Amino acid sequence: SNARIRYQPVNFKGPRRKHLQMNLISQILILVMYHSDGVLSFTPFNHNRVVSQEIMRNTVSPHFGGMDSPNRILFPKTLLCASSSEKKTTSKKSKQQNNGSDNTEKRFATKLEEMREKDAGGEKLTQAFCDNVLASCVASDEWDSVLDVLEVMKSQGLAQERSSYRACLQECFETGNGASAREILNAMRHADVEPEPIDISLGVVAMCKNDKTEPGWWRRALGILKTTADNAKEGSGVVPVDAYDAVLTCMANQRQWKDASRLLNLMEQGFNPDKTSFHPTPVLSTYHAVVENCVAANQAEQAVQVLLSMNGKGVQPNVYTFELVIGALSKKQLWRRALQLLDVMDDLNIPQTVVTYNTVISACARAKEVGTAKSLLIKMRKRGIQPNVISFNSLMNACAGAGRWKDALSLLKQCSNEPGVEPDIITYTSAIRACARGGNTRRALSLLDVVKEKELPLDVYCYTAVIDACAKAKMWRRALGLLDEMRQNNIQPNDFTYSVAISACGNGGQWSRALELLYQMKEKGMKINVITYNAAITALSKASRQNAKQSSKLYASKRIGPGGKNGSRVDVDEEQLWVRALELLEQMKADGLEPDGFSYSAAIGACGAGGRWKEALELIKIMQFGGPRTRPNKIAYTSAISACGRAGEWEHAMKLFSDMKNQGLQPDLVAYNALVSALRVSDMADMAFDVWEEMCGKKPTKPNPVQGRRASAKASASMSPDIITLTNVIEALDHNEDRDNIDRIDQVFAEAVERGIILRAGLDSSYEVDLSGMSFPVARAACRHIINQFKNGKESKDPLHDLMLITGVGKSHMYDNHRQNSEINVKDKYRMGATGALREHVRAILRDEFEPKIFSTVPERAQGTVCVKKDMLQKWIAAQRE
């Protein structure tokens, strides 16, 4: 070779030394092979691409030189060097992305063969033909063939003109070969061929197509756009907006809404007449791409702002723009904002379609705004827009979420009567879900029969909705039957189907069947999620509580049950289901699942029913030191308080109650009742009375450190006690029958009457009082309250009549029954359960606790009623006045 190479060696260091040197040698050999009379002068660097670019810059041979040289080099090393692994990898991915890559390669081979034949036959080749063949080689990543084409062009006396670059970029654009397009743009600059805006556009769009398989290419494309705009001169033109739209679309795929907004701001500078901008002004498609970025990133409000700004920029949004933004608002349940956009569409005279209304109805449905969604359906009809099945399905989905089964069935009927609209399986499934949520299992089952009659394609969602309805009605047998029916119809149950089936078994007290379903999922290799585990733990918790209630009868004659103290009675789950509940918690962790607050709460409930208050407290501690999803909630604290209460551990119950407040959780009525129950079991009458006073707002509430004094007082004042609170407080006070406690019982009962908790009006006469369902202590307090009204002058306001006390069949409360003496007084009868029916208990109270005695009768045709004759009342009232 006659080439003269001036080479300044550089000492490469590190593990890549040999690799870098070999690539450097390969560059030199390629250049020398095709340009033997050239003179190279370069200084190698420690990066392959930099080396190749330096070679291009320092080329001094006329064969490598200016635009007029017919043999100047066209491409840098990264395109020609077959040893470049980076290029091979990128080319491979671009080929995989291109669905027509096989056709492209065939087209390339055909063109190359045609070129060789014409050249061998001495035919004169045109510039356009050679450019086309060269472009096919580049787009197909056939770099050896590129060199062949260059040799043919050299022999034909053809140069690589601007058209050659343009053809290569066009082919890369069509095949989606962004990597090669980028190198071609670099080669143009090295050859002093300044890319025109159309060249930049073709290269950028090709690079964006590469982004689908190699995320991140959009950043390189964006860099080219910004560099081009920064270096642009007056009259050089701007890159077509299509290139910008392509970059924005790639940003949407990666949810880069902030970058998209910044790029939009650059483009909007073109709207300013006082400022020169080399970015194209945005068009409708540009704004659509930016809105899609905001929607993809769940930035609904930002999407609204972009939409509202369009009209001020002279770009009129269309119906698709609004539907895109309304859809984003729907996902975030921003239904009011969606309704506002409907008004904006009216202001801009943009026609609304059924899709527009369906999207807004869906937004209302997600927010459970059934009334608003129904009004939209009416508005559609008034505007002459006929609703379709999707309209009804969206609206019925709102009814299903709110449990409004009557509205759902009404809409189902409307859908059936709507011209051109036929209810589908989704319509019936939504109606079934509404019935399930509303507790109307019978209608849910009848709708399933209708679906079968219409021969609609039953799916897993429909069956799951029906099984859920059975679960809420404790119809576990029917639920399991439907599960079997699914398998017979080749419909595979999903994890949610098993969850509701497990819940059905749990609600029906069939904990063993619930666990069996869980094991079936494991055997089938199904992934068990937190919801399914929670359903199984809840089944154990419910069964544990039921076992505890049944076992309480066995311990009715014992003042101290297992684990109890201070004379408390502890309900015991003899099957020890709490152990299984804790095992499921550990199994969840072993499966890589983190138990949530519901998981721990259900397990704490099982421990409480089993008298395992220590385990319940331990679970609370685990929750307190866990993550945000495991922090104790009201349910967890309440279950732990109940567990301590059953065991007579009132101190721990009080501490848990205090911890709940300190964590910023305002106790609800259930928590207060759990605390009062714990105090009742432990015979802490004074504290139970104090809690009553606090709930009634008569006692200052300790300020919540998180909510503050004012918020704590307001929350406490709004926490009105109920019949459960009343029963627990009165029974706690009734355990110690001193005068002070009797007075407090009367005070508590009077406050309950004043609040409408008990003895509510509603019977035919004020002389008819309903005592049915009351516990013995509450009935005792009620009798004192009623009779004392006559003492305080009730007969002076209304004419005196016979007093009718309705007791019903009665409610037996079993207490210690150590003595069987029928001659004991009424107080002992109450304490020992010798009086088994509420009716006889009330008669004994009237007879033994009032002076003079008040005797009563039982009407022959009203065996659940105690009657005190008017004469008896007059006699007692007269005695009180004496």
Side-chain angles (χ1 to χ4, degrees):
S1 171
N2 295 325
R4 296 185 302 278
I5 302 175
R6 294 192 296 270
Y7 174 66
Q8 178 183 349
V10 174
N11 293 325
F12 292 100
K13 297 181 180 180
R16 299 185 61 198
R17 175 179 177 180
K18 183 177 180 180
H19 172 72
L20 292 170
Q21 288 180 339
M22 290 302 295
N23 279 340
L24 179 61
I25 292 172
S26 67
Q27 292 180 81
I28 297 172
L29 290 178
I30 290 174
L31 291 172
V32 169
M33 183 182 301
Y34 285 93
H35 307 280
S36 59
D37 56 347
V39 178
L40 301 180
S41 176
F42 64 94
T43 300
F45 293 86
N46 59 351
H47 189 282
N48 295 349
R49 183 165 298 174
V50 178
V51 171
S52 65
Q53 293 173 358
E54 189 68 15
I55 292 174
M56 296 297 301
R57 293 192 190 98
N58 295 321
T59 296
V60 296
S61 167
H63 297 289
F64 300 167
M67 286 292 296
D68 298 330
S69 172
N71 296 318
R72 71 184 182 280
I73 189 165
L74 178 63
F75 304 110
K77 163 254 165 189
T78 45
L79 289 179
L80 298 179
C81 182
S83 64
S84 175
S85 59
E86 177 187 355
K87 181 62 195 166
K88 284 186 175 181
T89 303
T90 305
S91 303
K92 192 180 210 179
K93 290 184 177 178
S94 63
K95 283 184 179 182
Q96 290 174 351
Q97 174 62 30
N98 181 20
N99 294 330
S101 59
D102 293 339
N103 294 331
T104 303
E105 292 177 2
K106 290 179 181 178
R107 187 166 63 251
F108 140 73
T110 302
K111 289 181 178 180
L112 184 61
E113 185 63 28
E114 181 182 357
M115 183 181 191
R116 287 170 176 168
E117 290 177 357
K118 288 183 176 182
D119 182 58
E123 183 177 344
K124 181 64 176 177
L125 303 179
T126 64
Q127 181 74 40
F129 178 79
C130 292
D131 289 345
N132 187 266
V133 177
L134 183 66
S136 297
C137 296
V138 171
S140 301
D141 293 325
E142 296 293 341
W143 313 117
D144 292 336
S145 299
V146 167
L147 298 177
D148 292 341
V149 174
L150 290 175
E151 186 66 24
V152 171
M153 292 178 68
K154 177 181 176 181
S155 65
Q156 291 275 341
L158 297 175
Q160 292 88 57
E161 304 293 342
R162 179 180 293 277
S163 61
S164 306
Y165 296 103
R166 180 72 55 80
C168 291
L169 289 171
Q170 182 68 40
E171 191 71 19
C172 289
F173 163 79
E174 293 177 0
T175 59
N177 192 339
S180 295
R182 182 180 180 224
E183 296 294 353
I184 293 169
L185 290 175
N186 290 334
M188 293 177 71
R189 293 189 179 95
H190 297 153
D192 295 328
V193 181
E194 188 63 31
E196 295 180 351
I198 186 61
D199 299 320
I200 299 295
S201 178
L202 290 171
V204 166
V205 175
M207 292 165 66
C208 289
K209 290 182 179 180
N210 250 70
D211 192 79
K212 296 179 180 179
T213 53
E214 245 186 310
W217 271 91
W218 67 268
R219 295 188 183 276
R220 302 173 187 176
L222 179 60
I224 291 176
L225 291 178
K226 289 183 177 180
T227 301
T228 303
D230 293 341
N231 298 331
K233 300 177 182 179
E234 290 289 344
S236 61
V238 296
V239 178
V241 72
D242 293 345
Y244 285 77
D245 291 348
V247 173
L248 288 169
T249 301
C250 291
M251 291 179 180
N253 294 334
Q254 297 182 33
R255 303 179 180 181
Q256 301 294 327
W257 68 276
K258 291 184 179 179
D259 289 311
S261 299
R262 284 191 284 266
L263 182 56
L264 179 64
N265 291 336
L266 288 176
M267 298 175 70
E268 287 179 338
Q269 292 176 2
F271 292 123
N272 187 352
D274 300 330
K275 188 174 183 180
T276 303
S277 174
F278 292 99
H279 295 284
T281 54
V283 295
L284 181 61
S285 60
T286 309
Y287 283 101
H288 281 172
V290 177
V291 169
E292 287 170 353
N293 269 275
C294 298
V295 171
N298 203 24
Q299 298 293 325
E301 190 56 39
Q302 187 66 27
V304 173
Q305 296 304 321
V306 174
L307 170 62
L308 298 179
S309 70
M310 291 175 63
N311 200 48
K313 304 295 184 182
V315 181
Q316 176 81 354
N318 59 17
V319 65
Y320 172 76
T321 321
F322 279 91
E323 289 172 356
L324 195 63
V325 178
I326 292 173
L329 295 171
S330 173
K331 292 179 181 178
K332 301 195 74 172
Q333 301 184 15
L334 298 174
W335 60 276
R336 289 187 178 88
R337 202 72 162 120
L339 291 175
Q340 291 174 359
L341 291 185
L342 281 182
D343 297 334
V344 174
M345 293 182 73
D346 289 335
D347 296 339
L348 298 177
N349 295 321
I350 297 176
Q352 297 162 349
T353 66
V354 64
V355 177
T356 312
Y357 274 97
N358 288 348
T359 309
V360 181
I361 290 174
S362 177
C364 297
R366 289 174 181 269
K368 300 181 181 179
E369 291 291 332
V370 182
T372 306
K374 291 175 68 175
S375 66
L376 287 171
L377 190 66
I378 298 172
K379 188 176 180 180
M380 287 177 65
R381 292 193 174 105
K382 288 182 178 179
R383 293 195 169 213
I385 302 174
Q386 183 181 8
N388 56 20
V389 67
I390 298 176
S391 311
F392 286 100
N393 289 348
S394 299
L395 188 49
M396 290 179 67
N397 186 47
C399 296
R404 297 175 62 165
W405 62 272
K406 292 183 179 179
D407 289 334
L409 295 180
S410 174
L411 287 168
L412 178 61
K413 186 176 181 180
Q414 291 181 42
C415 184
S416 301
N417 297 331
E418 188 77 22
V421 180
E422 186 68 27
D424 57 13
I425 187 63
I426 299 176
T427 317
Y428 281 99
T429 300
S430 297
I432 292 171
R433 286 179 52 237
C435 292
R437 183 69 63 89
N440 195 335
T441 304
R442 183 181 61 83
R443 293 303 298 269
L445 291 170
S446 66
L447 286 174
L448 178 63
D449 294 336
V450 173
V451 171
K452 293 178 179 179
E453 291 175 3
K454 289 181 173 291
E455 296 184 351
L456 293 174
L458 283 164
D459 57 18
V460 64
Y461 303 104
C462 184
Y463 271 111
T464 301
V466 181
I467 294 175
D468 187 34
C470 295
K472 290 176 171 57
K474 301 181 180 181
M475 299 173 62
W476 62 272
R477 289 187 178 87
R478 187 64 185 272
L480 295 181
L482 289 170
L483 199 62
D484 293 336
E485 184 178 310
M486 290 180 67
R487 299 189 185 101
Q488 293 172 2
N489 293 334
N490 294 323
I491 300 175
Q492 293 301 320
N494 58 22
D495 52 354
F496 190 73
T497 312
Y498 275 101
S499 296
V500 294
I502 290 171
S503 295
C505 295
N507 294 340
Q510 302 296 314
W511 63 267
S512 59
R513 295 179 184 271
L515 293 185
E516 182 180 342
L517 291 175
L518 192 69
Y519 298 147
Q520 285 182 17
M521 295 181 69
K522 285 184 174 294
E523 291 175 357
K524 292 182 178 182
M526 297 180 65
K527 187 176 181 180
I528 305 176
N529 56 26
V530 174
I531 296 176
T532 309
Y533 269 114
N534 287 350
I537 297 174
T538 302
L540 292 170
S541 180
K542 290 181 178 180
S544 183
R545 290 196 297 271
Q546 185 63 32
N547 290 345
K549 290 180 181 179
Q550 294 175 357
S551 65
S552 65
K553 298 179 181 179
L554 301 177
Y555 293 97
S557 61
K558 299 180 180 180
R559 292 294 293 170
I560 302 179
K565 69 178 185 178
N566 297 333
S568 64
R569 185 194 71 222
V570 179
D571 301 337
V572 176
D573 170 23
E574 292 186 338
E575 290 183 299
Q576 294 189 336
L577 299 182
W578 62 272
V579 176
R580 297 177 182 269
L582 295 182
E583 288 175 349
L584 287 181
L585 281 181
E586 294 302 319
Q587 185 61 49
M588 290 178 68
K589 298 175 184 178
D591 291 348
L593 299 174
E594 181 184 2
D596 57 14
F598 195 89
S599 314
Y600 284 109
S601 299
I604 290 171
C607 291
R612 312 299 299 190
W613 61 273
K614 292 182 179 179
E615 284 78 2
L617 291 181
E618 187 63 31
L619 290 176
I620 286 288
K621 290 180 181 178
I622 294 175
M623 296 178 73
Q624 288 173 339
F625 291 100
R629 293 182 66 250
T630 61
R631 295 290 169 81
N633 53 20
K634 291 181 182 180
I635 299 175
Y637 273 116
T638 302
S639 299
I641 291 171
S642 297
C644 294
R646 287 190 179 97
E649 296 290 335
W650 66 270
E651 298 97 333
H652 290 291
M654 289 292 291
K655 185 179 183 305
L656 288 169
F657 194 79
S658 177
D659 289 345
M660 188 192 313
K661 290 183 176 181
N662 293 336
Q663 293 295 323
L665 300 173
Q666 180 59 41
D668 55 13
L669 183 58
V670 179
Y672 270 102
N673 285 342
L675 178 62
V676 174
S677 177
L679 297 173
R680 172 188 61 80
V681 172
S682 301
D683 287 341
M684 303 303 294
D686 293 340
M687 289 187 175
F689 181 75
D690 289 343
V691 174
W692 173 272
E693 293 279 273
E694 178 183 323
M695 295 179 70
C696 293
K698 293 186 175 183
K699 183 179 179 180
T701 305
K702 184 178 180 181
N704 189 313
V706 177
Q707 295 179 328
R709 182 181 298 275
R710 182 175 298 179
S712 299
K714 182 178 179 181
S716 179
S718 64
M719 192 60 60
S720 179
D722 63 358
I723 186 63
I724 298 175
T725 322
L726 175 68
T727 302
N728 280 318
V729 173
I730 288 181
E731 289 188 2
L733 295 170
D734 193 73
H735 284 176
N736 299 313
E737 298 178 356
D738 54 31
R739 184 69 255 174
D740 290 340
N741 277 348
I742 293 177
D743 291 341
R744 287 195 288 185
I745 289 174
D746 293 341
Q747 175 189 336
V748 168
F749 193 89
E751 290 171 349
V753 174
E754 183 179 351
R755 288 175 171 268
I757 298 173
I758 202 166
L759 298 186
R760 299 173 182 172
L763 298 179
D764 296 336
S765 167
S766 61
Y767 284 86
E768 291 185 359
V769 183
D770 188 3
L771 306 181
S772 60
M774 294 183 185
S775 66
F776 284 0
V778 176
R780 186 182 181 193
C783 290
R784 283 202 305 271
H785 179 81
I786 296 167
I787 298 300
N788 286 334
Q789 283 186 312
F790 293 102
K791 180 180 178 181
N792 297 330
K794 174 177 174 136
E795 81 286 355
S796 62
K797 300 178 182 179
D798 300 316
L800 199 61
H801 296 284
D802 292 346
L803 177 63
M804 308 295 290
L805 302 176
I806 301 172
T807 61
V809 295
K811 185 176 181 180
S812 178
H813 287 256
M814 300 302 295
Y815 292 92
D816 289 359
N817 195 19
H818 297 299
R819 294 177 292 173
Q820 299 295 331
N821 186 0
S822 61
E823 301 298 326
I824 57 179
N825 59 36
V826 67
K827 295 179 183 179
D828 286 337
K829 286 183 177 181
Y830 153 64
R831 302 294 296 175
M832 299 183 187
T835 306
L838 180 60
R839 183 193 69 188
E840 295 306 315
H841 179 69
V842 169
R843 295 186 69 192
I845 290 173
L846 295 173
R847 182 179 65 250
D848 297 341
E849 294 198 9
F850 291 92
E851 186 62 35
K853 297 179 182 295
I854 299 177
F855 293 98
S856 60
T857 61
V858 177
E860 183 177 352
R861 296 186 178 181
Q863 291 295 308
T865 303
V866 174
C867 176
V868 180
K869 296 294 185 180
K870 178 175 67 173
D871 295 340
M872 177 60 64
L873 288 176
Q874 287 176 337
K875 179 180 178 182
W876 185 85
I877 293 171
Q880 303 308 308
R881 291 175 179 174
E882 294 177 357

